Amino acid sequence: MRTTPSSPVGMHRVVDPAGAALPQAARVLDAGGDLWPDEVRIDVETLNLDAASFRQLSEKHAGDGDAVRAEVLDIVATRGKMQNPVTGSGGMLIGTVAEVGPQSPLGLAVGDRVATLVSLSLTPLQLTDGLERWDGRSERVPASGTAVLFGRSIAARLPEDMSPDLALMVMDVCGAPALVSRVVGEYVDAGVSPTVVVLGGAGKSGSLSLAAARAAGAGHLIGVVPVQREADQLTASGLADRVVIADARSPLGLADAVAAAGGPADVTVVCVDVPGCEQPAILATAQGGTIIFFSMATSFSAAALGAEGLAADVRMLVGNGYVPGHADLALDLVRGNATVRALFEGRLSE
């Protein structure tokens, strides 16, 4: 156990630039060695790459799984963490607690199976198996290695009533439904049952956001998807009152589609992992409305300047992945909604 002073936010693990950045912004982290007293070491079981990062890697290598695997291994070996240098994002992991520092405030014990609820982009990580069990063609990555949690990291014990893969998939996006629930609740408290539009409504974060909005008291739910297959899936689920097929990157196309389905939106939730959705989301939202950007593909300068250029009086929120109680809320949505659970289990089977 190391005895030198440590930082609860992990600055003591920053190698480059030393002492000048938090772990997420750092180029290189120290992922090995003995623990500091407030740290926890995790034996890694599975990584879950975030959607924007995996899409970028897969498109860069034209779907060549071997090349994707090689780049992920290089990123982790070079940086001491899994942070895509293009998207800046990472994902999360599940594993078993192997060692707990005597001053750790996280309440974990050796042997606990946990999911980390902080990004891999700031988590010290070492891989020891060459990712030999991963074909490079899915976001879920079987892996062996170790990761380190800091004093201000977040982790949740895996629930016993669902498979680890299902729990990981749910907790990977649990910040989205929690923030949607909070925002919709604000409208309801003000006497408004808002119209909520979710871009990417058939996806993981999108389907949970629709379920959370319904539970929080939304008046009208519109799910936007890009293709007929997803429209059929979302329509059958009943999670949305209206389902429309539209390109979330097309400003007028999206605005017209949303208007025809009962919009504009009081609350627009962006859950798609492609760039270029900022101005379309703004046009689809009513004056005085709220836009939640829950995608690592979002350009926040494009969103801010786009709203200014369109004279749009909209509140824009960055979904940062953390809301108190977010993991429990998302897991309860899956437990209590057979349709949502079926959508997630269907993704696992794919």
Side-chain angles (χ1 to χ4, degrees):
M1 188 71 61
R2 307 195 205 204
T3 58
T4 54
S6 63
S7 160
V9 295
M11 291 188 68
H12 56 283
R13 289 269 181 181
V14 174
V15 175
D16 182 18
L22 290 169
Q24 198 278 335
R27 287 185 290 272
V28 181
L29 299 182
D30 170 13
D34 294 336
L35 291 186
W36 269 269
D38 63 347
E39 292 182 332
V40 173
R41 193 184 316 280
I42 305 294
D43 284 338
V44 176
E45 177 182 321
T46 306
L47 308 179
N48 199 79
L49 304 184
D50 77 277
S53 176
F54 178 72
R55 177 188 288 271
Q56 186 275 327
L57 290 168
S58 185
E59 290 179 350
K60 173 183 177 180
H61 296 291
D64 183 339
D66 291 339
V68 171
R69 181 175 60 244
E71 181 159 358
V72 169
L73 286 168
D74 181 67
I75 290 170
V76 174
T78 301
R79 307 198 68 177
K81 58 179 178 174
M82 178 52 215
Q83 182 178 35
N84 185 314
V86 176
T87 65
S89 54
M92 59 181 292
L93 63 83
I94 61 175
T96 301
V97 175
E99 185 180 0
V100 178
Q103 297 174 18
S104 171
L106 302 186
L108 300 176
V110 172
D112 286 345
R113 295 191 72 204
V114 299
T116 60
L117 300 179
V118 290
S119 176
L120 292 176
S121 65
L122 58 82
T123 303
L125 176 66
Q126 292 181 315
L127 297 175
T128 58
D129 66 344
L131 300 181
E132 60 186 8
R133 293 170 290 156
W134 183 45
D135 63 6
R137 292 183 171 85
S138 74
E139 298 167 12
R140 294 193 308 282
V141 184
S144 295
T146 59
V148 175
L149 300 181
F150 308 127
R152 281 191 62 175
S153 296
I154 314 167
R157 292 178 181 85
L158 291 175
E160 297 181 357
D161 59 342
M162 60 183 69
S163 72
D165 283 344
L166 176 58
L168 176 62
M169 185 180 286
V170 174
M171 288 193 280
D172 183 42
V173 295
C174 64
L179 184 54
V180 169
S181 179
R182 173 187 285 179
V183 170
V184 171
E186 293 171 353
Y187 278 84
V188 172
D189 289 345
V192 177
S193 296
T195 293
V196 177
V197 172
V198 178
L199 309 185
K204 295 181 294 184
S205 58
S207 58
L208 277 176
S209 293
L210 286 167
R214 177 85 72 191
H220 185 57
L221 295 174
I222 302 171
V224 178
V225 296
V227 295
Q228 188 65 51
R229 178 182 62 83
E230 291 189 12
D232 293 342
Q233 184 182 47
L234 189 56
T235 299
S237 76
L239 290 172
D241 299 308
R242 294 288 301 275
V243 178
V244 297
I245 299 173
D247 186 343
R249 300 165 296 183
S250 171
L252 296 180
L254 179 65
D256 289 346
V258 168
D266 297 304
V267 179
T268 299
V269 187
V270 180
C271 292
V272 291
D273 59 355
V274 295
C277 301
E278 299 86 4
Q279 292 193 20
I282 293 166
L283 282 177
T285 306
Q287 293 286 347
T290 301
I291 305 171
I292 302 172
F293 290 105
F294 208 89
S295 167
M296 291 298 102
T298 300
S299 166
F300 300 106
S301 60
L305 295 174
E308 178 187 49
L310 294 169
D313 177 23
V314 291
R315 175 176 61 153
M316 296 186 291
L317 302 179
V318 178
N320 73 355
Y322 176 68
V323 175
H326 58 338
D328 287 339
L329 184 146
L331 291 169
D332 285 343
L333 285 172
V334 173
R335 291 185 180 106
N337 191 316
T339 300
V340 174
R341 185 162 188 153
L343 286 173
F344 273 74
E345 290 177 338
R347 282 183 165 269
L348 283 176
S349 66
E350 293 173 3

